[in-house]
Amino acid sequence: PGENETKVNLEELKTSVLYSGPVDPAEWVGLRKSYPLLVYLRNNLLMLAILAFEVTIYRHQEYYRCRNNLTTPVTKTIFHDITRAHLDDGLVNCVKYFINYFFYKFGLETCFLLSVNVIGQRMDFYAMIHAFWLIAVLYRRRRKAIAEIWPKYCCFLACIITFQYFLCIGIPPAPYYPWRSGNANFNSNIIKWLYFPDFIVRPNPVFLVYDFMLLLCASLQRQTFEDENKAAVRIMAGDNVEICMNLDAASFSQHNPVPDFIHCR
């Protein structure tokens, strides 16, 4: 580019995708020559094998239940005979219970921790948006109020990760982006913070992994909020009803059905 076309210095220009080496436009649409072909397709074949293995297991379970006149379990757990009543019945049963229902009990807190992890790992414009959403969710305080806004939060996560995916792809490597023109007052740090597509400072696609983990746990938590309203699930896993914060610690045994191991003396 000419001197008036961009404000990029020569050192940064050498690292640009457009000028660091020959550009094959076919790679932008996912076409690339590879040899041997089996090495190129091994990840796709592995995914197909895992999906086939999963479908085989589910079909076998369905056939086994139909042949033996068995009903489908209410909850998808490992230890079907462990319920909320077994939580305080020994350490082994306690471990089994949390293997079954850890996310049912602490899924919301796990989502909050993953949201903080996304903010700490990214430290950019989208991290600020995640922080605003975290404040909005925590402002609800009550679990029922959080459950009402949670589907909107999951929709936000799904939309923002899709939008960022297209930002990482960008446009075909031919023209310059407008924020790299001579009239734009953008430098590489601002472009990196805004997570704009660029041929010099390319968006870090690893950030999408953190967003995906948050979206995965948020989707599981949305299912948990729906399961909390089912009587059969509450009988097996217990309810998540909040205990009033104004209760005295010594009088918890009057309101809490589980044994009091702290003030039992």
Side-chain angles (χ1 to χ4, degrees):
E3 295 181 357
N4 298 328
E5 295 180 10
T6 180
K7 293 182 179 180
V8 182
N9 56 49
L10 185 60
E11 295 297 327
E12 288 185 332
L13 201 61
K14 290 180 179 179
T15 62
S16 174
V17 178
L18 297 177
Y19 301 100
S20 60
V23 178
D24 186 5
E27 292 188 5
W28 186 79
V29 294
L31 300 178
R32 183 177 60 187
K33 292 183 179 180
S34 179
Y35 181 82
L37 186 61
L38 185 60
V39 177
Y40 183 73
L41 297 176
R42 61 182 179 183
N43 292 331
N44 303 79
L45 297 176
L46 181 61
M47 292 174 60
L48 291 176
I50 293 176
L51 291 175
F53 182 68
E54 180 186 11
V55 172
T56 303
I57 291 177
Y58 279 113
R59 290 293 183 182
H60 176 74
Q61 290 178 341
E62 183 180 359
Y63 174 73
Y64 180 81
R65 294 190 183 106
C66 292
R67 186 179 60 181
N68 296 277
N69 295 325
L70 300 175
T71 59
T72 304
V74 178
T75 58
K76 297 180 180 180
T77 56
I78 298 177
F79 306 103
H80 301 301
D81 56 339
I82 298 296
T83 63
R84 178 63 180 83
H86 299 89
L87 176 59
D88 302 297
D89 187 16
L91 184 61
V92 176
N93 289 336
C94 178
V95 173
K96 290 181 179 180
Y97 175 83
F98 279 112
I99 291 175
N100 286 344
Y101 303 109
F102 175 82
F103 202 89
Y104 179 83
K105 286 294 183 181
F106 300 105
L108 189 59
E109 290 78 4
T110 303
C111 292
F112 290 156
L113 291 176
L114 286 176
S115 180
V116 174
N117 177 67
V118 170
I119 297 171
Q121 294 290 341
R122 297 188 60 110
M123 297 296 290
D124 59 359
F125 175 73
Y126 293 95
M128 185 175 62
I129 298 178
H130 280 287
F132 287 149
W133 262 103
L134 181 61
I135 294 172
V137 172
L138 290 175
Y139 183 75
R140 292 296 185 105
R141 300 183 63 182
R142 305 286 298 181
R143 189 177 181 90
K144 288 295 183 182
I146 294 176
E148 294 176 357
I149 198 177
W150 201 258
K152 299 179 181 178
Y153 182 56
C154 293
C155 181
F156 155 75
L157 293 177
C159 293
I160 199 172
I161 194 174
T162 304
F163 178 70
Q164 291 179 91
Y165 176 77
F166 287 111
L167 289 182
C168 289
I169 294 177
I171 62 176
Y176 259 84
Y177 287 101
W179 40 87
R180 285 296 186 182
S181 62
N183 299 325
N185 294 322
F186 285 87
N187 56 31
S188 297
N189 291 331
I190 296 178
I191 293 174
K192 182 180 180 181
W193 187 79
L194 292 174
Y195 205 69
F196 279 172
D198 189 57
F199 295 125
I200 298 176
V201 184
R202 305 180 69 177
N204 188 1
V206 179
F207 289 164
L208 299 184
V209 178
Y210 304 123
D211 288 5
F212 170 75
M213 295 303 298
L214 177 59
L215 175 61
L216 177 62
C217 290
S219 302
L220 294 175
Q221 182 58 37
R222 181 180 179 180
Q223 182 64 40
T224 300
F225 282 137
E226 296 177 357
D227 292 340
E228 289 177 357
N229 299 324
K230 300 178 182 178
V233 176
R234 292 199 301 268
I235 293 175
M236 296 290 295
D239 56 49
N240 286 331
V241 179
E242 299 165 334
I243 299 178
C244 181
M245 294 182 295
N246 298 325
L247 293 177
D248 182 45
S251 62
F252 272 175
S253 60
Q254 301 177 7
H255 307 273
N256 197 351
V258 302
D260 186 0
F261 300 105
I262 300 177
H263 299 88
C264 57
R265 296 182 180 179

